[in-house]
Amino acid sequence: MKDTDIKKLFYAHLFCVFSIILTTFIPSLFLEDFSILETHLTWLCICSICVTVVNVVLYLLVKPNPSSKRSSISHKISRLLKSCVYFSISCLLYHAIIVLYGAPLIELMLETFLFAVILSTFTTLPCLCLLGPNIKAWLRVFTKNGATSIWDNSLQITTVSSVIGAWLGAFPIPLDWERPWQVWPISCTLGATFGYVAGLLISPVWIYRNRKQLTYKSR
Amino acid sequence: MLKALVLLFLAWVCFLFYAGIAVFTSGFLLTRLELTNHSICQELPGKGPLVGGGRGEPGACWTAPRFSRAVVVLIDALRFDFVQPWPDGLPAPQPFLGRLGSIQRLLEAQPQHARLYRFLADPPTTTMQRLKALTTGSLPTFIDAGSNFASYAIQEDNLIAQLNNTGKRVVFMGDDTWKDLFPGAFSEAFFFPSFNVKDLHTVDNGILEHLYPTMDRDDWDLLIAHFLGVDHCGHKHGPHHPEMAKKLNQMDQMLQTLVERLENDTLLVVAGDHGMTETGDHGGDSKPEVTAALFLYSPLPLFPRAPLKDPEVVPQVNLVPTLALLLGLPIPFGNIGEVMVDLFSREGDAQPLATALAQASAYHLNAQQVSRFLRAYSLAAQDLPPEELQHLQNLFSSASSEYERLLDQLKTEEVREADIQGLISQLRLFLRGARTACTETWARFRPARMIGGTILLASTCLLCLVTSGLTSSPDFPFHCLLLRSVAWGLAGSALLAGGLMAGGSGLEPALLCAGGAATSLMAFLWNLKSRGRPPMAIILPGPLPILVLLFLRSAALFSDSFVLAEARAAPFLLRSMSLFLVAQLHWEGRLLGGWPTAPCLSSPTASMARREGPQALGLLVGLLLCVRLSSFFHRCPEETPVCQSSPWLTPLAAMGGGQAKNLWYGACLGALGVLVLSVRFWLRRCGNLNSPAPPVLFVRWGLPLMALGTAAHWALASGSDEAPPRLQALVSGAVVGLPRAVLGLAALGLGLLLWQPVTVLVKTGASSSNPIVVPFVGPPASQADLDYVVPQIYRRMQEALRGKLAGGGGQTPMSLAAYGLGSVYSAAMVTTLALLAFPLLLLHTERISLAFLILFLQSFLLLQLLATAVGNPAGSSGPFSVPWLAISAWALTATQTFYSTGHQPVFPAIHWNAAFVGFPEGHGSSPLLPAVLVGANTFASHLLFSVGCPLLLLWPFVCEGQGSTKKKPLASGAEVEGEKEEEPLMEMRLRDAPHHFNAALLQLGLKYLFILGIQVLACVLAASILRRHLMVWKVFAPKFIFEAVGFVVSSLALLLGVALVMWVDRAVGSWFKQLILSQER
Ligand SMILES: [Zn+2]
Ligand SMILES: [Zn+2]
């Protein structure tokens, strides 16, 4: 593990954070009455698309796990298709978990689903980018000694912090402050976003501070 | 450790908790008995004639009315200094000063028509309590015992009721609290929602819309307008905000217009029900909260004298008798206020004697009424000090005889005014004494007791925590510490009793208990400390997630929103916890192990993980589903447009009939059937359904019978109106008989279970080819021998059976005999829970049976998940311990079930109908039985989960057996020899190490008590810290009461559960002894 790797990670993450901040400002130039709270669903769509694009572009630019063997175009296409299927499955799974967690079943279905989409964007998408459509690898990364590179470590941190952010976002909902952001699912999506951003910022710092302890065994 | 010691220790800890709760309650919950007597127009409160009174005059009551109509303008939270006159030219330093110019002008221009008072409210200064005081003239407390908890309607005699009785018409507009307090009492009413404190204008604008048109009509005798804007402005912005100035200006405008439209026969009363603190809150007893304003005005001259320079102080209750007599009504029966004597003068200064006489007669009526009330109250309740009462009665009788003497004298000769004034001051002395005595008893928080109770609770929690960590050390001298502490406690309470007796005050049980508890607790902690400091790791309850969970649970109790939303918060935390559990399992590589790259996994754990993994995931999904489904039985604390209670909580009888009703009935029957069948299935799987023991027979035949009885009762209860008239008698008999029969069956089942709790089938005769050999000759001499022998026998039996199994080559029914022994404790527990569930089920409405089914399923899944994820490692032989995670999850499930069976911790949401199950005609006068029925309904989940608490300890052992039963058919013949070592001992591991078993039970009890105790402590702290909060009497105090009663129920049930396990253990012990004896023969 070299310091350049950490630097690369840091800049990539900074770029992600920057893109998320931009999604709150840029659309208001093109769309009338755009605001995060009032046209929340629009923002959700924009944000998830933007994060997807940025993640894919960064992956293509940085190439964190350079695969040695060249793969054919058909293999690449099948990987891409597989990734799309996995992403939609993860959206559905998140939706199911959120409903099991107490979200309304029929009312506000679209809101709940978009919340699931943004959670998938923050968690599943980086997994797809870094590890490919390989569930075994995903499961391995999320175990105690499963990380094999700093990218895996940063994946752990961002994923867990996004989920925790969404979880914490549910807490203000019952309070009687009657703020617009207490409406389902705004506080949770905002929480997830803040969690993701925090994860992006924390993970390079954490990795840098623990770089002595982190030793990776090669696969 | 002895079994009795475990029980005694737990009981002692429970007692400490109870004492803390009792002391806090006696300091915090103001209580009073509510009498339902009413004053009657034609009946004077005492003997004696009247001067200038209206007795006999048509239409008049105790006195002739002075005003025929009155307008009462109640401005919520109108503090005195809001009204206080402010010199004209000066700029006001505060936005609330000098805003009510109309009042100031009236006071200056017409000093004999208008008067301003400091209006002293009694704590608790919350609107509902103040409204009760302003109409009944009494000192309402939080719990007015004897009142009907099901509704907020005022049962006591009050002004509105008196007006209704005399045929007067009352028009109301404003705060909709009045709708609950006086249902159907108004000839015309405009209610506006008061709940939203952020809304400053809805109520006020609504009133202003209707006020002037109503003023101009004359179809009313009393007009009440209750404005809320000032109060809400206080809550939202505080009194120092410019918004307050706007609000007061609006009120000023309103008063100005009102006075212009006032007619000569009308009295205007402007009053605040309480004040507010500098932050705009109220509820407590600080000076700004209790000092409200009262302003009286009449277009005719009202007062004989010009006002004093400094406005007079008038207690709030004084308005009630004054208004009553001025309007010619009887004074409400429970009034303890004193008439405002200035208002009872005759016109003009020319007749000082007539004025004095009129005042004396008003005072005398008032005193007679108060004396009658005191007599009636002291007959019904004993909380007023008797010496004080005696003194007051003496005062009253001497004043009364003086009054009669003066009246006699008046007939013949002149009376000096000084004599009358003397009489008035005597009567006033009596009235004030009476009010003081009542205030002292009913309307004062006792901070010392509140703090004492809190400290006691907190230190008992600490004790639970520390000792639960110490139970695992075998040589810890619990018995001698317990003995010493109890001795100290007895000594302490005896000393306290002596002190109290010597001090002359009465012995109060709560205080005595607290004294004893405190001394014994101190003795215990002192002894503990002198034995050396326990390490910090023992003190902290478990890993970080548990601390976070505990913190969240306790912190949520400090927010009224979260208390109201606990029905959603508890399942949320439960789901998070189970998800976390599985995620952690995966993190540790135990969920879906077995990939080649994971370096830390050795093969055996991987194979175990392969078995556990999908199982844990399935359990998690099932658990989440159950929790989600159970939320369909949610009930709202208050029906609002935002929150609608589940329609499934209504009884089937309320449904219109038709197909839906039948389908629902079928679903409920299905739930009953599944419940019975699943209990039987589980017992069969564990092998406890084979023995000929009476409890087994009862499970086989009694449980279905109970289900049948329940079903029949539901059918009759929901369709009793549709029965043909010939069968009515039969149906009504069955409605009485069936619930009692089910209860009787349950009691019978429990009795059988206690009589022979061992549900194990032994077929010694069949295994004669391989006789069980006891290596020990002669009868066991001591307990130690027995401890050694019993596991030996067990192992031998297992081996014998195994040998037969291997020889037979296949699974014969014989092998089941061993399973029955391995789950003998849990079989007894599960049977008990099923037996308890049926009577509790019967107390709920029919469709709750589905919730009960979910409850059983959910706790089964939770137990399995906990056993899989955090249970004891399979090979351990003590010390056993149940992890904090499991206990927190269990307590959380109990809370969640409380809500998912349609309950809420507020009094109007209690299922009062439960009192009539099996007693459709009511209970007569005894309050005990209905209280038990309603209590059992309300705390059903506390009861079931606390009794079932020992299952947390037992379940991992049961699961161990299930794991290997699955494995057994897979094992090939060659492996049988090797597997002998692994033969699951299951719950016999506990018997293998009886000391560890007892210690584990003690630890389990202490940990559970700790988790419950922390919740009670949080409620106590919330109620005492937030006693000024707007919602204290609506949310925090009821939550505290429910939590405290729930704690008492839970702790008693926990003791029962632990005792049951010990009883079974004893029975198993004697069963083994018999086995040995029969082997020796
Ligand atoms: Zn009020
Ligand atoms: Zn208020």
Side-chain angles (χ1 to χ4, degrees), chain A residues 75-96:
Chain A
H75 184 222
K76 271 184 183 163
I77 288 179
S78 86
R79 266 171 72 101
L80 190 69
L81 282 179
K82 234 178 170 181
S83 301
C84 288
V85 170
Y86 277 22
F87 186 77
S88 29
I89 289 176
S90 111
C91 289
L92 292 177
L93 256 178
Y94 269 120
H95 190 102

Side-chain angles (χ1 to χ4, degrees), chain B residues 74-94:
Chain B
L74 207 58
I75 301 178
D76 209 282
L78 185 72
R79 202 162 76 183
F80 177 74
D81 52 359
F82 294 3
V83 187
Q84 200 168 28
W86 186 255
D88 259 335
L90 284 177
Q94 296 292 351

Side-chain angles (χ1 to χ4, degrees), chain A residues 6 21 34 36-37 45 64 78 80 92-94 97 100 117 144 150 156 164 181 193 204 206 213-214 218-219:
Chain A
I6 299 181
I21 293 172
F34 176 85
I36 293 186
L37 296 185
C45 294
S78 86
L80 190 69
L92 292 177
L93 256 178
Y94 269 120
I97 290 176
L100 281 181
V117 169
K144 206 189 275 168
I150 57 165
Q156 285 176 355
I164 288 180
W181 49 264
T193 313
W206 185 84
Q213 284 93 313
L214 289 174
S218 59
R219 274 189 254 187

Side-chain angles (χ1 to χ4, degrees), chain A residues 97 99-105 139-145 156 167 170-171 173-176 178 217 219, chain B residues 196 198 552 559-562 565 568 572-573 575-576 579 586-589 592 595 597 599-600 624-625 628:
Chain A
I97 290 176
V99 167
L100 281 181
Y101 243 77
L105 185 64
L139 290 174
R140 168 185 56 78
V141 167
F142 291 100
T143 48
K144 206 189 275 168
N145 297 313
Q156 285 176 355
W167 185 74
F171 281 83
I173 294 178
L175 290 172
D176 59 354
E178 294 184 17
K217 283 178 188 165
R219 274 189 254 187
Chain B
N196 186 358
K198 302 282 184 325
L552 283 178
S559 152
D560 58 320
S561 310
F562 271 110
R568 285 180 288 150
F572 180 81
L573 290 178
R575 289 170 187 133
S576 308
L579 258 183
H586 175 66
W587 179 254
E588 287 167 1
L592 298 163
W595 46 82
T597 49
C600 70
L624 289 180
L625 255 175
R628 183 74 175 100

